[in-house]
Amino acid sequence: MGNLHEGHLSLMRLAAHHGDPVVASIFVNRLQFGPNEDFDSYPRTLDEDIAKLEQEGVYVLFAPNEREMYPVPQDYRISPPHDLGDILEGEFRPGFFVGVTTVVMKLFQCVQPQVSVFGKKDYQQLMIIRRMCNQFTIPTEIIPAETVREVDGLAMSSRNRYLSRDERIEAVWLSRTLQQVASRVREARGTTPLTPRDLEELELAATQILNQRGWKTDYLSVRRRSDLKPPTSEALDQAVDLVVLGAARLGATRLIDNLEI
């Protein structure tokens, strides 16, 4: 959605390994904002974004305005399945993934890319877009890109600019808390089998750490990477791949992050 930072630019570099030209799209999508979210105040820095893209050798930019993207009311929309689209982010931002999948479908129809790069910071979004392409037989390969972080570990995000100086110092605690959960899961797996109850206790303890520091945590949860469902005892016995995901509000700024385990 613009306001490009190093995380976005890393996606351009990865895309360049898969063909030429690299096409960037910038569009602040009204459909994925809730009624009390920051659509009007979301940072729009198109001139700066263009300069950054030019420095990366990206010479095709698709930046439609709202009338071009939605010339008539967008009555037809893409709805992810409830068991994937209405959990985690979808639970706390109702309709968010409907807005995301609808605009991505339109962008894919306009640009028709061979590959498209999505960052892992938006882990659930990446999974939903990949499944959408599979189910609709969209001939676009979805390439995942690792999360780019600041020196202290904070995941890069356009919304980081909302943080005050003190909040920016505190913000690193989201990634630190996820790291602590991931480390404890790895340690426990190396000794005794984990149970779902063990994970619940880890999640609760981590949530309390953030809340005691002044955060308002929406969720902090260990899930299976394959489908983002809570792992069963059987899955834990089989050492399935896991990911810990978190979303929390610091002051007026809502931050998300995740770590694969």
Side-chain angles (χ1 to χ4, degrees), residues 101-113:
T101 51
T102 299
V103 75
V104 171
M105 175 70 85
K106 292 197 75 167
L107 289 168
F108 282 174
Q109 294 300 318
C110 292
V111 179
Q112 299 183 8

Side-chain angles (χ1 to χ4, degrees), residues 14 80-81 84 97 100-101 104 108 116-120 122-146 225-227 260:
L14 180 55
L84 182 57
F97 286 119
V100 169
T101 51
V104 171
F108 282 174
S116 185
V117 182
F118 284 80
K120 284 187 178 181
D122 297 289
Y123 205 89
Q124 189 174 4
Q125 173 180 278
L126 168 64
M127 180 174 290
I128 287 173
I129 295 300
R130 178 179 280 157
R131 290 193 178 186
M132 180 186 77
C133 289
N134 288 338
Q135 292 219 354
F136 284 98
T137 322
I138 298 172
T140 298
E141 180 184 2
I142 304 301
I143 305 294
E146 297 298 328
R225 290 190 212 174
S226 60
D227 54 14
E260 293 181 330

Side-chain angles (χ1 to χ4, degrees), residues 2 6 9 26-27 36 65 67 95 97 102 106 108 113 159 164 182 195 207 209 215-216 221 228 246:
E6 178 61 26
L9 300 178
I26 294 178
F27 178 66
N36 298 314
N65 60 39
R67 181 173 295 180
F97 286 119
T102 299
K106 292 197 75 167
F108 282 174
R159 289 188 168 95
S164 69
T195 67
T207 298
I209 288 173
W215 295 70
K216 294 182 179 179
S221 186
L228 295 186

Side-chain angles (χ1 to χ4, degrees), residues 61-207:
L61 171 63
F62 181 55
N65 60 39
E66 197 163 18
R67 181 173 295 180
E68 291 169 327
M69 200 65 184
Y70 301 123
V72 297
Q74 189 66 39
D75 297 325
Y76 286 84
R77 303 192 183 192
I78 306 296
S79 295
H82 295 300
D83 63 348
L84 182 57
D86 294 339
I87 62 173
L88 301 171
E89 281 297 283
E91 178 182 352
F92 290 91
R93 302 183 67 187
F96 170 67
F97 286 119
V98 173
V100 169
T101 51
T102 299
V103 75
V104 171
M105 175 70 85
K106 292 197 75 167
L107 289 168
F108 282 174
Q109 294 300 318
C110 292
V111 179
Q112 299 183 8
Q114 293 179 322
V115 302
S116 185
V117 182
F118 284 80
K120 284 187 178 181
K121 186 178 83 72
D122 297 289
Y123 205 89
Q124 189 174 4
Q125 173 180 278
L126 168 64
M127 180 174 290
I128 287 173
I129 295 300
R130 178 179 280 157
R131 290 193 178 186
M132 180 186 77
C133 289
N134 288 338
Q135 292 219 354
F136 284 98
T137 322
I138 298 172
T140 298
E141 180 184 2
I142 304 301
I143 305 294
E146 297 298 328
T147 301
V148 177
R149 299 181 179 277
E150 304 286 357
V151 174
D152 62 0
L154 176 66
M156 289 188 178
S157 170
S158 295
R159 289 188 168 95
N160 289 350
R161 66 163 48 195
Y162 296 158
L163 298 168
S164 69
R165 182 177 179 181
D166 289 342
E167 288 170 345
R168 173 60 188 84
I169 295 172
E170 172 64 26
V172 70
W173 271 92
L174 178 57
S175 64
R176 286 181 182 173
T177 304
L178 296 180
Q179 289 170 358
Q180 291 172 1
V181 172
S183 295
R184 288 171 185 168
V185 171
R186 294 189 190 102
E187 291 170 2
R189 278 183 157 182
T191 55
T192 58
L194 279 170
T195 67
R197 179 60 180 167
D198 294 331
L199 292 183
E200 290 176 5
E201 291 176 354
L202 282 175
E203 293 165 355
L204 178 59
T207 298

